Amino acid sequence: MNNENQTLIFEITKPGRIGYNLEPLDVPNFDLEELIPSNLVRQEAAELPEVSELDIMRHYTALSRRNHGVDSGFYPLGSCTMKYNPKINETVARFSGFANIHPLQDESTVQGAMELLYDLQTSLQEITGMDEVTLQPAAGAHGEWTALMMIRAFHEANGEGHRNKVIVPDSAHGTNPASATVAGFETITIKSGEDGLVDLEDLRRVVGPDTAALMLTNPNTLGLFEENIIEMANIVHGVGGKVYYDGANLNAVMSKARPGDMGFDCVHLNLHKTFTGPHGGGGPGSGPVGVKADLIPFLPKPVLVKKEDGTYHFDYNRPQSIGRVKPYYGNFGINVRAYTYIRTMGPDGLKAVTEYAVLNANYMMRRLEEHYDLPYNRHCKHEFVLSGRRQKKLGVRTLDIAKRLLDFGYHPPTVYFPLNVEEGIMIEPTETESKETLDAFCDAMIQIAQETIDNSALVQEAPHTTVVNRLDETRAARTPVLRYKKQEQVTVS
Amino acid sequence: MKHRYLPMTEQDKQEMLDRVGVATIDELFADIPEKVRFQGNYNIKPAKSEAALMKELLQLAGKNKDTASNVSFLGAGVYNHYKPVIVDHVISRSEFYTAYTPYQPEISQGELQAIFEFQTMIAELTGMDIANSSMYDGGTALAEAGMLAAGHTRRKKLLVSGAVHPEYKDVVTMYAYGQSIDVVTIPTKDGVTDVEALKGLIDEQTAGVIVQYPNFFGQIENLQPLADITHEAKGLFIVSANPLALGVLTPPGKLGADITVGDAQPFGISEAFGGPHCGYFAVTTKLMRKVPGRLVGETVDQDGRRGYVLTLQAREQHIRRDKATSNICSNQALLALASSVAMTALGKQGMQEMAKQNIVKTRYAKNAFEAAGFEVVYKGAHFNEIVVNTKHNVTQLNKALIEKGIIGGFDLGRVYPELENHALIAVTEIRTKEEIDALVAEMGAYNE
């Protein structure tokens, strides 16, 4: 039944059908030509759908059934922290007093929203060990760029505008070097050592008077804690650079180690990862940035402050601020969800989150280590990386293994990342999954490993059960079709 | 501890510890140096039960004056519009909202197709060849458009109309600073971009010219002459457009735009204190390979069935790293879905009707203000906003209006000293004649 082409909304359109309901006009009408110069009056209507409300609901229900989310099944996508998205968050974010307030209303009319944001800021300061937090960045990459712009402003304010190098490990998320470029820096990539950790000698070799910052994820993208973090911070601080914490992996260390105590000067968080903002099919996110005291003057405007009389205020009088990174104050709706989550968990809950996230990852790693290569064999944190190189020798690539997992009803792990692992398979179970789920997934992985030996074609040709099988990505890129175009109707009489 | 989000039992935990070969969970954290290990618990508020937290947060939300129970005339980039109820039902399908970026197309066809339809609708409305899958918001989309222009032309100057949303302009300025690009403001005249001033400012270093349509003051810019001047200097013409207005206005794509960006918030997206909203980014075909963010393309599977994939990924950060065209990764996919549903519900007819109601009701408000003795400054064509000289401090006036259940217009004096005592009044399709009359009457009766 699902094997036919799924209809596009434009293909069920019928002229004259409507799906909306507007109040009839209650003021005197005008012709558009009386109100707008004729060259600016639209002549051809946009070809939007003409469908009924039921048509719309059926269409999107059909599409939703062709989509896998955390609520559909296990989603161990490494580095993305695909944990359960609590439903109370969704309800709270839709409270009219949060959903239906305008960002430019008088401050006296939005004190409840500002109180929530202030309390969230304060909680995130405690969680990260930072001195101040801004909630404005819209997502992780946006937070990275915001923090790097602050580092740039800091160096410039100290007469050291020549510091133009940002150091990132080879295992870093792709956004790190991209954000450095957008902030006007050059990226220097340093190697990971045999143990999967940053090579301190390589770090010492590249730092110098032109070092602006080191960007680091800890635990790193291999799921390993950078044990030498204090020394690394000392090396970078020793030459006058700043140390930046990519908080994508915060789920691994909550209540166990705080970036601010490890020597980091600033940090971004992904509230849509650790703090359960839903991923939404790709967004929205929220990427708050926390900073130590010496970066506070450079925070983006406005800064949310609590006044002595207990009221909240957006402070624009920040002469050294880098400026505005986003209209208004950030992705408020996601910040409401994260706040709701933090209040649901409390300090004990957040500690348990990290403990189970790490236990779950270690358990899976030990169940799978006989069946797949484990390049870095030590306790991991919230995620671990296997290598499919053993299977590759049998003609089965990691991509095939990922596709075969689809037949078992799972979203595959992150594959081919980090870049320093051949045929990498990066698994992050999160704390919200049960042991039964972890076991069933491991069983599937073990079965697939056996299939690569017994019946490799079964894996190579996977998936077998999805609504489409492997798609021709080369064709998509060579002859891009990025939008629907209405076909000329052929009349059959 | 027991918690409804944490399924492990004591027995589970013990079996797992045994399998890992450690006695306690703490051993798994032994690699964190003692010196930086966090001791104890976070000093944050204790956990609350579901019911108690709901009650507390409902009370907190109740401290805010919302636009559902008050009558709002506040716009300035974020609008109170008709939101088809169906929108929330669709985006509450958790197969959509609990998924991530569709990296595995075989199990993400729903999201991918929805984005493909979004790209199509935005391209249709803007009259551009293609659109991407979304940006954070209209402001960062505009900044990225400026960066694209600078990269494409290898020039280092952007000219930004003084009638562009001031917060958008601030964001453009910040991105530009990161890339060492100069931003120069084009003066306005009578509330629109001054064409003669543009002629004087543009030169062979100009990467792009940025205008807003309708502009921040609600005025409808005459785009074609601005586009022509820009193209003569071989710069890119960038338009930040309210997509609802394009229901009745000639689309930027037909008036010389190389890049059209904006925010789809008017389509089914709550004001939500400024976000999350939904930036869109549309370009001509020649700029297709320089677009930031995700693009969804149509293709076929091995059996010839139609399907959709993320495509042209060589532009993006996860492939190109420091050579990427942008650092964007997460976008606003769920809001793109929301706006797709709203655009679909409005459809071909509703889009025109709703846009027209905005203009006509705003014209009614303009006439009503003038009849009551207020000066409505700027005489050009408007969309759904007008600038009214209130003769009083607007912030103080608004404090009086809220007592009457009215959220007044934006205080332009906060940004433009020359517009002290001027309010930017937004009138959308959901405002009634009675509400408009009441606003005019209350403002007329106001005395400091």
Side-chain angles (χ1 to χ4, degrees):
Chain A
M1 54 174 267
N2 260 329
N3 289 345
E4 301 303 315
N5 282 348
Q6 173 65 41
T7 310
L8 286 158
I9 193 75
F10 309 104
E11 293 167 338
I12 57 168
T13 190
K14 189 164 188 181
R17 206 166 266 164
I18 62 163
Y20 70 100
N21 177 226
L22 283 171
E23 190 77 16
L25 196 63
D26 61 353
V27 299
N29 204 354
F30 289 89
D31 286 336
L32 284 172
E33 284 72 12
E34 297 174 72
L35 304 177
I36 313 172
S38 58
N39 67 319
L40 298 177
V41 176
R42 186 163 191 145
Q43 298 303 315
E44 283 173 65
E47 285 297 338
L48 296 173
E50 297 184 85
V51 290
S52 74
E53 189 166 315
L54 177 57
D55 289 337
I56 301 169
M57 208 61 222
R58 288 220 175 112
H59 175 71
Y60 284 105
T61 301
L63 292 190
S64 75
R65 293 177 62 202
R66 296 163 70 88
N67 221 52
H68 181 99
V70 172
D71 286 0
S72 319
F74 192 38
Y75 209 129
L77 190 65
S79 249
C80 297
T81 314
M82 301 300 291
K83 59 170 78 175
Y84 173 61
N85 301 131
K87 304 311 162 195
I88 183 177
N89 297 357
E90 298 303 309
T91 301
V92 170
R94 286 171 173 81
F95 285 163
S96 187
F98 293 143
N100 300 314
I101 48 174
H102 191 289
L104 299 173
Q105 280 177 228
D106 191 85
E107 284 177 1
S108 65
T109 67
V110 286
Q111 286 291 305
M114 295 170 79
E115 182 179 336
L116 182 148
L117 292 177
Y118 189 82
D119 205 18
L120 176 60
Q121 270 179 205
T122 311
S123 301
L124 295 178
Q125 282 164 30
E126 168 70 6
I127 289 167
T128 57
M130 291 287 158
D131 296 322
E132 185 103 40
V133 165
T134 173
L135 299 171
Q136 291 179 44
H142 200 221
E144 292 174 13
W145 169 76
T146 299
L148 288 171
M149 291 297 286
M150 293 171 65
I151 289 172
R152 181 171 163 167
F154 171 85
H155 289 314
E156 286 173 355
N158 289 334
E160 298 199 320
H162 60 277
R163 291 183 178 273
N164 65 343
K165 301 284 194 302
V166 167
I167 303 165
V168 297
D170 54 5
S171 61
H173 296 115
T175 50
N176 288 182
S179 298
T181 299
V182 178
F185 293 108
E186 283 174 40
T187 301
I188 298 181
T189 305
I190 50 171
K191 292 191 305 258
S192 303
E194 293 284 306
D195 54 2
L197 305 180
V198 167
D199 183 338
L200 286 183
E201 286 315 306
D202 209 26
L203 177 60
R204 282 200 188 90
R205 190 177 58 78
V206 301
V207 297
D210 60 355
T211 300
L214 165 71
M215 297 181 85
L216 197 70
T217 311
N218 197 15
N220 65 27
T221 56
L222 293 166
L224 306 179
F225 193 85
E226 296 280 358
E227 296 173 343
N228 302 316
I229 180 59
I230 299 170
E231 195 169 354
M232 290 162 71
N234 285 340
I235 292 169
V236 177
H237 288 152
V239 299
K242 291 285 177 193
V243 190
Y244 176 92
Y245 184 87
D246 177 331
N249 292 349
L250 190 77
N251 214 46
V253 291
M254 275 194 297
S255 303
K256 299 294 175 184
R258 304 191 305 174
D261 301 332
M262 290 185 233
F264 288 95
D265 301 290
C266 52
V267 46
H268 90 262
L269 301 175
N270 301 75
L271 297 190
H272 48 295
K273 295 182 178 177
T274 317
F275 298 98
T276 69
H279 285 71
S286 177
V289 167
V291 296
K292 283 295 181 82
D294 57 357
L295 289 173
I296 288 177
F298 308 100
L299 282 167
K301 284 195 274 196
V303 176
L304 174 59
V305 296
K306 186 174 184 177
K307 294 201 290 193
E308 278 177 15
D309 64 2
T311 61
Y312 301 90
H313 171 60
F314 285 117
D315 181 12
Y316 286 86
N317 185 19
R318 311 287 285 208
Q320 285 191 287
S321 165
I322 52 170
R324 185 180 274 288
V325 299
K326 187 184 186 311
Y328 320 115
Y329 326 110
N331 277 342
F332 175 72
I334 303 305
N335 295 337
V336 171
R337 288 169 173 87
Y339 181 71
T340 306
Y341 175 69
I342 290 171
R343 297 295 311 281
T344 298
M345 302 312 292
D348 296 326
L350 291 181
K351 182 189 269 186
V353 162
T354 283
E355 292 184 344
Y356 283 115
V358 170
L359 177 62
N360 288 0
N362 278 281
Y363 174 72
M364 292 180 78
M365 182 173 78
R366 293 309 166 196
R367 278 213 60 195
L368 293 172
E369 67 181 327
E370 292 164 39
H371 308 278
Y372 294 86
D373 282 5
L374 178 63
Y376 303 101
N377 188 1
R378 47 177 279 197
H379 295 323
C380 64
K381 287 284 143 320
H382 67 309
E383 66 190 1
F384 61 100
V385 183
L386 300 172
S387 167
R389 61 195 173 202
R390 194 190 312 174
Q391 286 73 23
K392 191 182 178 188
K393 287 186 190 131
L394 299 169
V396 175
R397 294 173 305 152
T398 283
L399 182 69
D400 303 327
I401 294 166
K403 297 303 181 194
R404 181 66 180 135
L405 278 167
L406 301 176
D407 290 331
F408 291 83
Y410 297 119
H411 192 289
T414 297
V415 291
Y416 299 101
F417 186 82
L419 307 175
N420 52 342
V421 175
E422 182 190 358
E423 298 287 308
I425 304 172
M426 183 191 214
I427 299 175
E428 180 182 8
T430 83
E431 73 284 357
T432 58
E433 299 296 336
S434 68
K435 180 167 179 293
E436 290 82 352
T437 299
L438 306 184
D439 280 331
F441 178 82
C442 290
D443 292 344
M445 285 289 287
I446 293 165
Q447 182 181 327
I448 293 168
Q450 194 59 41
E451 286 172 356
T452 63
I453 299 165
D454 301 338
N455 184 5
S456 58
L458 184 64
V459 186
Q460 289 159 335
E461 291 162 15
H464 305 279
T465 58
T466 48
V467 294
V468 290
N469 52 36
R470 290 196 204 186
L471 291 149
D472 188 344
E473 299 197 9
T474 308
R475 168 176 158 152
R478 283 222 181 114
T479 48
V481 178
L482 304 177
R483 53 164 298 183
Y484 171 79
K485 281 216 171 96
K486 194 177 173 184
Q487 307 293 315
E488 287 303 315
Q489 295 293 319
V490 181
T491 317
V492 181
S493 54
Chain B
M1 72 171 290
K2 287 186 183 177
H3 194 283
R4 67 189 190 280
Y5 305 160
L6 302 173
M8 291 304 170
T9 64
E10 277 305 308
Q11 187 193 336
D12 292 335
K13 179 175 153 188
Q14 199 51 55
E15 287 172 15
M16 292 166 73
L17 287 171
D18 291 348
R19 178 73 195 221
V20 176
V22 294
T24 65
I25 289 180
D26 273 348
E27 287 181 44
L28 299 174
F29 293 93
D31 51 357
I32 299 178
E34 190 75 42
K35 201 175 152 194
V36 301
R37 215 175 294 168
F38 185 73
Q39 308 294 342
N41 278 348
Y42 288 142
N43 179 22
I44 57 175
K45 289 178 179 168
K48 258 197 174 177
S49 72
E50 185 170 48
L53 186 58
M54 285 277 281
K55 190 174 170 190
E56 181 194 317
L57 295 178
L58 190 58
Q59 282 169 353
L60 192 60
K63 287 188 183 177
N64 302 323
K65 303 274 189 199
D66 65 27
T67 57
S69 42
N70 294 278
V71 176
S72 175
F73 291 93
L74 187 52
V78 177
Y79 302 92
N80 185 209
H81 281 296
Y82 160 60
K83 177 179 169 183
V85 168
I86 191 176
V87 170
D88 231 22
H89 287 264
V90 172
I91 69 166
S92 296
R93 297 278 311 184
S94 67
E95 298 89 338
F96 288 128
Y97 81 79
T98 71
Y100 202 13
T101 303
Y103 295 121
Q104 297 289 338
E106 296 89 343
I107 55 166
S108 310
Q109 283 301 300
E111 177 69 38
L112 286 160
Q113 182 175 325
I115 294 172
F116 182 81
E117 293 175 356
F118 171 80
Q119 291 176 177
T120 302
M121 289 187 233
I122 293 296
E124 274 294 329
L125 268 176
T126 56
M128 304 301 291
D129 297 326
I130 61 155
N132 81 355
S133 66
S134 72
M135 307 294 286
Y136 304 136
D137 53 49
T140 56
L142 186 60
E144 293 264 18
M147 299 311 102
L148 192 164
H152 180 74
T153 59
R154 298 176 187 277
R155 295 176 175 185
K156 288 286 188 184
K157 186 160 82 179
L158 290 170
L159 302 183
V160 183
S161 165
V164 164
H165 191 308
E167 297 200 4
Y168 284 27
K169 185 160 167 277
D170 288 348
V171 178
V172 172
T173 304
M174 234 203 96
Y175 274 76
Y177 184 75
Q179 300 279 289
S180 305
I181 294 163
D182 290 329
V183 175
V184 178
T185 302
I186 311 164
T188 57
K189 193 177 174 191
D190 303 326
V192 295
T193 310
D194 184 342
V195 181
E196 292 308 313
L198 172 61
K199 284 181 187 163
L201 287 169
I202 200 161
D203 60 20
E204 71 285 352
Q205 268 314 301
T206 304
V209 171
I210 296 177
V211 300
Q212 187 172 318
Y213 180 70
N215 71 26
F216 185 66
F217 306 112
Q219 299 280 300
I220 301 170
E221 298 270 2
N222 190 13
L223 296 182
Q224 192 70 58
L226 301 166
D228 292 343
I229 294 164
T230 307
H231 291 151
E232 269 169 45
K234 297 195 164 39
L236 295 186
F237 188 53
I238 300 167
V239 179
S240 175
N242 178 339
L244 173 63
L246 304 184
V248 289
L249 298 185
T250 305
K254 289 224 186 288
L255 296 169
D258 298 289
I259 307 174
T260 302
V261 296
D263 203 304
Q265 185 270 331
F267 302 142
I269 298 175
S270 302
E271 293 145 295
F273 208 36
H277 294 161
C278 180
Y280 72 82
F281 200 105
V283 297
T284 56
T285 305
K286 74 172 182 195
L287 297 174
M288 176 173 69
R289 286 173 200 275
K290 296 188 171 166
V291 168
R294 315 277 188 208
L295 288 169
V296 172
E298 187 176 296
T299 187
V300 292
D301 78 354
Q302 289 164 331
D303 296 333
R305 281 174 296 215
R306 181 168 68 187
Y308 301 89
V309 293
L310 294 174
T311 194
L312 302 177
Q313 296 190 72
R315 304 163 291 113
E316 292 187 63
Q317 48 79 25
H318 60 291
I319 308 286
R320 288 291 290 279
R321 298 177 78 85
D322 60 324
K323 302 287 190 297
T325 56
S326 162
N327 68 333
I328 191 169
C329 180
S330 284
N331 53 25
Q332 304 288 119
L334 192 68
L335 291 313
L337 177 66
S339 63
S340 291
V341 178
M343 285 189 275
T344 300
L346 287 171
K348 191 174 183 175
Q349 295 177 49
M351 187 64 75
Q352 300 170 69
E353 187 181 336
M354 183 160 142
K356 189 178 175 196
Q357 283 203 3
N358 275 260
I359 295 196
V360 171
K361 289 193 172 187
T362 303
R363 171 53 63 102
Y364 175 79
K366 178 172 186 272
N367 291 345
F369 274 114
E370 286 175 341
F374 286 95
E375 184 198 3
V376 177
V377 301
Y378 307 141
K379 303 301 174 195
H382 57 76
F383 180 55
N384 65 1
E385 287 175 291
I386 49 174
V387 176
V388 178
N389 182 350
T390 67
K391 295 171 275 188
H392 296 286
N393 179 285
V394 177
T395 297
Q396 292 307 318
L397 164 67
N398 285 345
K399 285 183 197 294
L401 289 176
I402 194 68
E403 298 302 320
K404 308 282 182 182
I406 295 171
I407 295 172
F410 178 68
D411 181 355
L412 288 166
R414 278 173 59 180
V415 183
Y416 309 96
E418 69 278 18
L419 289 176
E420 203 184 344
N421 297 347
H422 287 67
L424 181 66
I425 303 280
V427 185
T428 71
E429 75 291 337
I430 60 167
R431 296 283 70 91
T432 65
K433 177 176 178 296
E434 286 71 27
E435 290 168 348
I436 298 166
D437 291 343
L439 172 73
V440 175
E442 291 296 343
M443 283 172 61
Y446 175 72
N447 229 322
E448 273 168 86

